[in-house]
């Protein structure tokens, strides 16, 4: 199958983007509080109406480039159109929210079942407050555990970072086991979209499902070419998960090489794509803080050896590794914030390295990172800037906020 017939087709980070999945931030954002935001992986509370304006501007910027924009929440509502599928989905969603059976479980299922499909999905993402439903005979869980917590079902404020719960690779997808409870239910929604939405059902190989103990997130999964991936070993992605997805890809797809890159395990750099992105055939952005004084970073080339086992080779010179695996004579690594000791960390914090490439040498970035943007232009890149005051408070930029589903081959 090729990009014309397959619902998913992503053989690079840079091929002309044709179809992308976004989520428009909704009332889940207004369910953040100072007490919950850290656990919900936010550093501040965005002002929703402006965040939505900014997000609409982002979506329109993509549409203006002839990119088809699909919305996660809409696909989800369509995926559960069938009554039995919807029932099963609700059962699993409420269970993963902490209620396997009992009065609270029953009340939540009944409450959500009374809504039309779109309202139901929006509500699940928004979260359900304790005072929204009357539970006549509370169960032990409600009485003993939920006293001080205002939610029966937690909001999913990170849903607008559609990059992470899944990643399109070739004609297939990885449906990700997320690291933190704050995000784990997002990929349950993905699972229903892939298994039940008519656009995808039965047509998309799943390279790795969310039924795993070790985790991997889309922000760490970079598709460098039609046979090479780069995957971050990070706060969110374990080496075990990388080898696991490698075993499946090496056997069942054209992918034969993974460059596993070790990055610091911290909140500012939670995924590889916050410090390293591909923007052209031979150009990358890189945050200088992941490199040592020689410009090196620990990385391993993972391949398939004899007898179905993976092999790995340790390297440090990432430039040389990229030249080898991509078969290029030169690689241009463009430092975030021009490598300045103040500008680089400041702009990285607001996703100055998190570029979404929409065609070779053409990217979408946040307008606030003006030093990095200027530098990209000096390196010959065409930059579309989008508004970023409120969206950036969730620690994600244009790459995090988008899940490419179809790109042209390069
Ligand atoms: N691909 C990315 N870098 N995504 C950023 C996600 C940010 C989100 N608040 C989280 O911590 O999960």
């Amino acid at each position: 199958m090729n990009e014309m017939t397959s619902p998913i087709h992503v053989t690079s980070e840079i091929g002309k983007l044709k179809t992308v999945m976004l989520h428009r931030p909704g009332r889940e954002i207004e369910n953040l509080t100072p007490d919950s935001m850290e656990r919900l992986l936010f550093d501040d509370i965005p002002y929703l109406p402006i965040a939505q304006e900014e997000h609409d501007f982002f979506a329109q910027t993509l549409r203006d480039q002839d990119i088809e924009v699909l919305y996660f929440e809409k696909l989800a509502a369509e995926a559960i159109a069938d009554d039995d599928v919807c029932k099963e989905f609700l059962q699993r969603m409420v269970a993963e929210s902490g209620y396997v059976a009992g009065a609270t479980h029953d009340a939540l299922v009944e409450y959500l079942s009374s809504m039309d499909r779109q309202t139901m999905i929006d509500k699940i993402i928004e979260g359900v407050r304790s005072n929204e439903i009357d539970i006549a005979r509370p169960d032990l869980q409600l009485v003993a555990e939920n006293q001080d917590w205002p939610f029966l079902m937690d909001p999913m404020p990170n849903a607008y970072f559609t990059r992470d719960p899944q990643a399109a690779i070739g004609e297939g997808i990885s449906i990700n086991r997320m690291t933190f409870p704050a995000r784990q239910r997002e990929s349950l929604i993905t699972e229903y979209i892939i298994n039940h939405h008519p656009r995808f059902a039965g047509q998309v190989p799943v390279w790795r499902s969310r039924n795993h103990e070790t985790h991997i997130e889309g922000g760490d999964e970079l598709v460098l070419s039609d046979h090479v991936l780069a995957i971050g070993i990070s706060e969110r992605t374990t080496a075990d998960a990388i080898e696991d997805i490698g075993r499946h890809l090496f056997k069942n797809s054209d992918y034969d090489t993974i460059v596993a890159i070790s990055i610091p395990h911290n909140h500012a750099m939670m995924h590889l794509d916050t410090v390293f992105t591909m923007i052209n055939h031979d150009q990358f952005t890189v945050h200088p803080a992941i490199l040592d004084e020689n410009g090196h970073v620990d990385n391993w080339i993972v391949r398939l050896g004899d007898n179905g086992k993976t092999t790995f080779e340790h390297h440090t010179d990432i430039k040389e590794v990229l030249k080898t695996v991509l078969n290029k004579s030169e690689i241009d690594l463009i430092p975030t914030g021009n490598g300045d000791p103040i500008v680089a960390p400041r702009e990285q914090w607001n996703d100055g390295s998190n570029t979404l490439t929409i065609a070779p040498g053409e990217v979408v970035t946040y307008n606030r990172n003006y030093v990095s943007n200027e530098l990209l232009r000096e390196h010959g890149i065409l930059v579309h800037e989008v508004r970023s005051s409120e969206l950036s408070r969730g620690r994600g930029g244009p790459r995090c906020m988008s899940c490419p589903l179809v790109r042209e081959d390069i």
Side-chain angles (χ1 to χ4, degrees):
M1 286 203 281
N2 59 29
E3 71 258 28
M4 305 314 288
T5 55
S6 175
I8 289 185
H9 186 91
V10 175
T11 57
S12 75
E13 286 291 304
I14 64 170
K16 177 147 184 30
L17 186 56
K18 306 293 278 184
T19 303
V20 70
M21 179 169 72
L22 311 181
H23 166 65
R24 185 174 195 261
R27 285 167 59 188
E28 64 276 8
I29 298 295
E30 303 222 302
N31 276 333
L32 286 160
T33 64
D35 286 343
S36 68
M37 70 187 179
E38 198 183 327
R39 193 167 59 77
L40 295 174
L41 311 172
F42 270 68
D43 297 301
D44 201 353
I45 302 171
Y47 177 33
L48 180 60
I50 305 298
Q52 289 177 327
E53 272 178 31
E54 291 176 359
H55 196 271
D56 292 342
F57 185 90
F58 175 52
Q60 194 54 43
T61 301
L62 299 176
R63 282 190 207 101
D64 288 346
Q65 303 303 316
D66 288 327
I67 297 163
E68 177 190 25
V69 173
L70 302 177
Y71 283 97
F72 180 70
E73 61 277 24
K74 186 153 180 283
L75 294 173
E78 291 163 355
I80 57 165
D82 177 82
D83 284 342
D84 290 336
V85 172
C86 182
K87 244 195 207 134
E88 182 200 272
F89 168 75
L90 264 187
Q91 182 63 34
R92 291 183 61 195
M93 182 55 81
V94 171
E96 289 199 19
S97 304
Y99 311 92
V100 174
T104 315
H105 165 275
D106 295 348
L108 279 167
V109 169
E110 192 189 318
Y111 179 56
L112 293 166
S113 304
S114 71
M115 302 172 181
D116 67 72
R117 298 293 198 270
Q118 192 63 64
T119 313
M120 179 192 300
I121 291 290
D122 294 347
K123 185 75 218 166
I124 287 169
I125 295 174
E126 175 189 333
V128 178
R129 295 270 296 266
S130 314
N131 62 7
E132 260 173 83
I133 28 184
D134 230 359
I135 302 176
R137 294 187 52 209
D139 47 25
L140 178 63
Q141 186 173 9
L142 198 62
V143 173
E145 290 185 342
N146 286 23
Q147 293 284 6
D148 307 319
W149 186 241
F151 294 100
L152 291 174
M153 285 173 74
D154 276 2
M156 304 185 198
N158 292 289
Y160 73 93
F161 299 120
T162 52
R163 178 63 64 162
D164 302 322
Q166 66 284 307
I169 300 170
E171 246 111 60
I173 197 158
S174 73
I175 303 179
N176 295 334
R177 163 74 183 188
M178 311 293 282
T179 306
F180 293 115
R183 301 203 65 180
Q184 278 163 357
R185 294 169 303 155
E186 291 173 37
S187 61
L188 180 61
I189 301 179
T190 306
E191 191 182 298
Y192 276 81
I193 294 174
I194 295 301
N195 289 342
H196 297 288
H197 192 286
R199 187 173 173 133
F200 305 100
Q203 302 167 68
V204 180
V206 176
W207 305 130
R208 188 176 197 265
S209 77
R210 64 196 287 281
N211 281 338
H212 283 275
E213 302 302 328
T214 58
H215 35 91
I216 183 165
E217 299 194 1
D220 282 308
E221 301 175 82
L222 271 61
V223 182
L224 300 189
S225 75
D226 58 4
H227 68 108
V228 183
L229 302 174
I231 307 186
I233 303 173
S234 70
E235 180 188 88
R236 306 295 179 85
T237 295
T238 63
D240 175 86
I242 297 175
E243 279 200 88
D244 177 59
I245 197 169
R247 280 188 288 267
H248 290 269
L249 284 166
F250 298 159
K251 214 167 124 205
N252 302 309
S253 77
D254 294 337
Y255 283 85
D256 56 24
T257 304
I258 298 175
V259 182
I261 305 176
S262 181
I263 64 168
H265 290 28
N266 67 43
H267 181 55
M269 307 177 199
M270 86 289 283
H271 295 118
L272 181 62
D273 72 358
T274 65
V275 290
F276 178 81
T277 55
M278 184 174 192
I279 57 179
N280 204 347
H281 299 281
D282 50 5
Q283 290 178 298
F284 293 78
T285 67
V286 65
H287 180 41
I290 68 162
L291 305 175
D292 67 16
E293 61 281 3
N294 304 313
H296 290 183
V297 56
D298 275 322
N299 66 87
W300 290 265
I301 300 183
V302 183
R303 294 203 169 99
L304 189 64
D306 314 330
N307 56 40
K309 298 241 188 314
T310 50
T311 63
F312 51 90
E313 239 173 62
H314 181 233
H315 293 267
T316 54
D317 191 338
I318 188 68
K319 216 176 191 179
E320 283 307 314
V321 166
L322 292 170
K323 280 192 209 167
T324 309
V325 296
L326 297 177
N327 203 9
K328 299 281 176 228
S329 53
E330 245 332 299
I331 292 285
D332 181 18
L333 294 181
I334 305 173
T336 312
N338 209 1
D340 180 271
I342 298 295
V343 180
R346 185 189 75 228
E347 293 204 344
Q348 190 277 334
W349 177 244
N350 286 306
D351 289 284
S353 291
N354 190 254
T355 48
L356 169 64
T357 305
I358 59 170
E362 187 172 352
V363 300
V364 178
T365 61
Y366 275 162
N367 57 358
R368 61 191 306 151
N369 300 312
Y370 58 91
V371 177
S372 301
N373 288 340
E374 209 33 58
L375 191 65
L376 290 175
R377 292 189 175 104
E378 280 166 23
H379 284 251
I381 303 294
L382 176 57
V383 181
H384 303 270
E385 297 184 13
V386 297
R387 295 170 53 193
S388 55
S389 293
E390 299 305 310
L391 292 174
S392 60
R393 296 182 200 270
R395 295 276 79 71
R399 189 182 189 275
C400 312
M401 294 192 295
S402 56
C403 175
L405 295 177
V406 182
R407 287 185 185 268
E408 280 175 11
D409 289 330
I410 50 173

